[in-house]
Amino acid sequence: MWKKIAVVVALGALSIWGQPPAGGRAGSGRGGRGFGGPPPIKSPEISTEGKVTVRLRAPNAKEVTVTGLGQNVTFTKDDAGVWSATTDALKPDVYMYQFRVDGLTVNDPSNPHLATSYGTGGRSVLTVPGAPWSPKPGVAAGAVTRHPYHSDLIGDDRDFFVYTPPNYDPHRKEPYPVLYLLHGLGDDAQSWLTQGNANVILDNLIAEGKAKPMIMVNPLGYGHQGGGMGPTDMIVHFADGLINEVMPRVEKEYNVAKDRDHRAIAGLSMGGAEATFTGLNHLDKFAYVGSFSGAYVMWPGINGAGRGGGRGAQPGIPADIIDKDFANLTAKSNSQIKLLWIVCGTADGLISVNRQFKDWLTARNVKFTQQEVPDMAHVWPLWRQNLTDLAPQLFR
């Protein structure tokens, strides 16, 4: 019943076309003119100075605000019932935003671009040009393909996405190196594309000659059905599914290298925990491992509150758990590891467990490269920069 009431409130507040003319029909929610409907509106509109104007047709609404743009902006409504607001110049970046219409949260119906997440509708997304993760004029774009499949190991229907670089040649004599890039808790297989702009980052780096042309695979990161943190051995099942289901399909359908020296695995938050566990326990398959704000509190065998978070101080990890999870990782592993890269912001609640893992590696004489970013929290701007920094280091 409450869902029905919410829908009625939404339609009443937005009333996207207002009252259609007698005998006419309302147009589509994407702003199409329809039969006698009003003309479409443009939202968002980004100026050359980086100012963003958002618009929403909601003639019956009493108040409209917007969240996610980092500024409090004032909306005005014109005679056609279109609300609009313009920000000051925004820093070049990716922004995820939503409208609040008389207390109801809605996405921008004029913007088809959504930042996806697991089990929810996501948020509207826009890119202010100028950052390394914004498309650049004249730079060719690689292709992104979705691969749905049924996981016999995990027991559900899921998908993974594959990025192929511009001018990808399926018959090239030299197979392409491959990066398995993993999302965080609450996100889905597509999130590195819709929120992280990972494909754009690779397009730009490859065009500039800073990164080798590579294939990127973005799998669903939950090693159980239904998403969320799940059981404490969830990452074990994820690793099993990645290695025994996803990787064989990628290697069958794409011209990718099958040797460890041309494979990398990296991820953010939950994905950082998965990348370290999977990569460092399968050095026969991966030579490059990257962790961005790794949620190591999600490693197998760890119980208790706070698992997977990045929004507050996290409890330490029992030393015997790390010993068990990485039982075969010793100084002898250095000959196999071309790069173990660990980065975390100092304002991230996960900084303490990241430092704890680095201390453990140091005690084991396992070599790694690390970076702590001052005053940076658990946020996408850091992870986009992390990928921008990591990709040029791969497959050299």
Side-chain angles (χ1 to χ4, degrees):
M1 177 179 177
W2 291 113
K3 291 183 179 180
K4 293 181 179 179
I5 292 174
V7 171
V8 172
V9 172
L11 294 176
L14 293 177
S15 189
I16 293 175
W17 296 124
Q19 186 67 31
R25 293 171 55 192
S28 72
R30 287 295 180 198
R33 187 180 287 268
F35 296 95
I41 58 177
K42 184 175 182 179
S43 180
E45 185 173 4
I46 304 171
S47 74
T48 55
E49 297 85 11
K51 297 181 179 181
V52 174
T53 299
V54 289
R55 300 181 177 91
L56 177 70
R57 179 176 285 111
N60 298 327
K62 295 179 174 60
E63 181 183 36
V64 175
T65 59
V66 65
T67 59
L69 299 182
Q71 298 179 10
N72 293 321
V73 293
T74 302
F75 277 79
T76 59
K77 184 171 72 169
D78 64 18
D79 293 340
V82 175
W83 297 74
S84 62
T86 301
T87 68
D88 296 331
L90 297 179
K91 176 184 176 181
D93 209 337
V94 178
Y95 294 86
M96 290 164 279
Y97 69 99
Q98 290 180 308
F99 294 119
R100 291 282 292 175
V101 184
D102 294 343
L104 180 71
T105 299
V106 297
N107 287 322
D108 187 341
S110 299
N111 182 358
H113 302 292
L114 291 176
T116 59
S117 57
Y118 190 86
T120 65
R123 290 171 288 173
S124 297
V125 63
L126 63 86
T127 301
V128 176
W133 37 85
S134 59
K136 295 182 179 179
V139 171
V144 175
T145 304
R146 175 178 178 262
H147 293 265
Y149 72 103
H150 179 78
S151 171
D152 292 328
L153 291 173
I154 298 172
D156 63 5
D157 295 319
R158 49 183 51 212
D159 57 10
F160 62 88
F161 290 80
V162 176
Y163 161 90
T164 50
N167 302 313
Y168 164 71
D169 182 359
H171 305 293
R172 195 177 80 166
K173 183 176 181 181
E174 179 187 359
Y176 291 83
V178 57
L179 165 64
Y180 290 86
L181 187 62
L182 316 178
H183 63 80
L185 182 66
D187 291 333
D188 65 10
Q190 199 176 4
S191 293
W192 259 112
L193 305 168
T194 63
Q195 301 183 51
N197 280 24
N199 54 319
V200 178
I201 291 172
L202 293 183
D203 287 340
N204 291 339
L205 291 173
I206 291 169
E208 295 166 3
K210 295 180 179 179
K212 286 195 170 185
M214 68 183 75
I215 286 175
M216 175 180 64
V217 181
N218 305 110
L220 186 66
Y222 305 106
H224 64 284
Q225 301 177 32
M229 288 186 292
T232 59
D233 60 353
M234 184 272 286
I235 289 179
V236 176
H237 297 303
F238 164 78
D240 191 17
L242 177 72
I243 291 172
N244 294 304
E245 290 185 328
V246 175
M247 287 176 59
R249 286 197 55 172
V250 171
E251 293 173 358
K252 179 181 179 181
E253 299 182 31
Y254 291 90
N255 183 17
V256 297
K258 300 178 183 179
D259 63 290
R260 60 179 305 278
D261 288 344
H262 294 90
R263 286 200 201 102
I265 185 168
L268 69 90
S269 193
M270 177 183 77
E274 292 173 330
T276 48
F277 180 83
T278 306
L280 296 176
N281 280 295
H282 296 88
L283 289 174
D284 59 321
K285 300 186 184 300
F286 300 97
Y288 300 85
V289 179
S291 171
F292 315 152
S293 311
Y296 304 147
V297 288
M298 296 184 71
W299 278 333
I302 299 175
N303 297 290
R307 288 173 49 232
R311 301 174 179 83
Q314 298 296 317
I317 304 171
D320 62 318
I321 293 292
I322 307 180
D323 291 341
K324 181 178 179 181
D325 284 345
F326 300 96
N328 297 320
L329 191 63
T330 68
K332 294 181 179 179
S333 306
N334 291 325
S335 62
Q336 295 177 284
I337 300 172
K338 290 185 176 293
L339 177 66
L340 170 55
W341 197 59
I342 301 172
V343 59
C344 190
T346 61
D348 193 325
L350 292 165
I351 188 65
S352 61
V353 292
N354 273 255
R355 289 170 175 168
Q356 183 182 1
F357 183 48
K358 290 184 288 186
D359 289 343
W360 184 92
L361 291 169
T362 299
R364 287 285 187 103
N365 294 314
V366 177
K367 295 180 180 180
F368 61 93
T369 302
Q370 70 93 29
Q371 181 184 9
E372 292 188 358
V373 184
D375 303 319
M376 188 61 77
H378 207 70
V379 291
W380 269 107
L382 174 62
W383 303 324
R384 297 184 197 106
Q385 186 63 54
N386 292 161
L387 178 60
T388 304
D389 295 337
L390 175 64
Q393 303 180 63
L394 301 177
F395 315 122
R396 297 296 184 183

